[in-house]
């Protein structure tokens, strides 16, 4: 998109809204975060924005989430990203908005939790394409491992918006 679609200089790349939260260790498998990482690697400030979806409606195509609070927080963080330089180690900002957020919801800067947030299992049901079971990824809603740290998973468990600065460097600090 950066090379083929942009007809002017890019000020900010926004990836999302992802249909479901991207917290904990799932950042390494998220396409939404992957797109923001690619933009950041090319030198563009980037946001990866995700809206938590209630587990009971996550895979129901007829469900239409309310994006009004998510749009509010996207604008808030995007304004910051456009007006300020990211701190030296920050290459993108990940924003996770709880499903019940309002424009008055608390938001805070968090760290990425170490929790394996999505637990995969094989559901023994018929797949119309190959007759095998389907992989189901169940979110660990309300769980977090952060200890005394305010993590993205902890913030969502409290109903808060998690704003998590990320780096491209995965080296342990």
């Amino acid at each position: 998109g950066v090379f083929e679609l942009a007809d002017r200089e890019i000020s900010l790349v926004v990836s999302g809204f992802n249909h479901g939260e991207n917290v904990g260790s799932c950042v390494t498998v998220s396409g939404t975060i992957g797109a923001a990482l690619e933009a950041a690697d090319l030198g563009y400030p980037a946001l990866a924005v995700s809206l938590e979806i209630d587990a009971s409606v996550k895979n129901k195509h007829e469900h239409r989430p309310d994006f009004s609070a998510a749009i509010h927080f996207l604008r808030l963080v995007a304004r910051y990203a456009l007006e300020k330089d990211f701190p030296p180690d920050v290459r993108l900002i990940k924003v996770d908005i709880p499903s019940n957020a309002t424009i008055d919801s608390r938001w805070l800067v968090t760290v990425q939790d170490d929790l394996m947030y999505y637990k995969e299992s094989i559901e023994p049901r018929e797949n119309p394409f190959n007759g095998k079971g389907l992989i189901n990824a169940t979110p660990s809603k309300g769980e977090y491992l952060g200890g005394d740290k305010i993590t993205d998973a902890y913030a969502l468990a409290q109903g808060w918006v998690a704003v998590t600065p990320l780096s491209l460097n995965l080296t342990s600090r």
Side-chain angles (χ1 to χ4, degrees):
V2 168
F3 298 117
E4 296 290 327
L5 301 176
D7 60 358
R8 63 182 189 273
E9 186 176 337
I10 297 170
S11 302
L12 179 68
V13 173
V14 177
S15 178
F17 289 103
N18 189 67
H19 191 81
E21 61 274 35
N22 279 314
V23 300
S25 66
C26 78
V27 298
T28 61
V29 296
S30 164
T32 301
I33 295 169
L37 285 166
E38 288 297 316
D41 198 29
L42 292 170
Y44 300 108
L47 306 179
V49 188
S50 303
L51 177 63
E52 178 185 40
I53 302 298
D54 185 288
S56 66
V57 296
K58 184 161 178 56
N59 294 318
K60 293 185 174 21
H61 298 291
E62 67 276 3
H63 174 69
R64 300 286 182 251
D66 179 2
F67 285 98
S68 56
I71 291 167
H72 167 78
F73 286 103
L74 167 58
R75 286 180 176 152
L76 181 81
V77 178
R79 190 174 311 117
Y80 168 85
L82 289 168
E83 293 174 357
K84 312 254 188 229
D85 290 333
F86 286 0
D89 189 41
V90 176
R91 297 297 297 278
L92 68 134
I93 298 174
K94 180 176 75 73
V95 183
D96 290 286
I97 299 118
S99 59
N100 62 350
T102 69
I103 61 170
D104 297 318
S105 291
R106 180 177 179 188
W107 69 272
L108 62 161
V109 176
T110 63
V111 299
Q112 177 191 328
D113 204 299
D114 290 332
L115 174 71
M116 181 179 175
Y117 191 77
Y118 287 98
K119 310 260 188 321
E120 294 180 355
S121 61
I122 303 291
E123 289 185 11
R125 58 183 177 162
E126 289 297 315
N127 179 329
F129 302 108
N130 65 13
K132 297 180 181 177
L134 296 176
I135 295 174
N136 184 32
T138 305
S140 301
K141 292 189 183 289
E143 296 180 34
Y144 44 88
L145 299 175
D148 60 348
K149 298 177 192 167
I150 303 294
T151 67
D152 51 6
Y154 178 81
L156 279 185
Q158 307 309 310
W160 303 334
V161 175
V163 178
T164 311
L166 297 177
S167 173
L168 293 176
N169 187 339
L170 297 178
T171 305
S172 179
R173 288 165 183 58

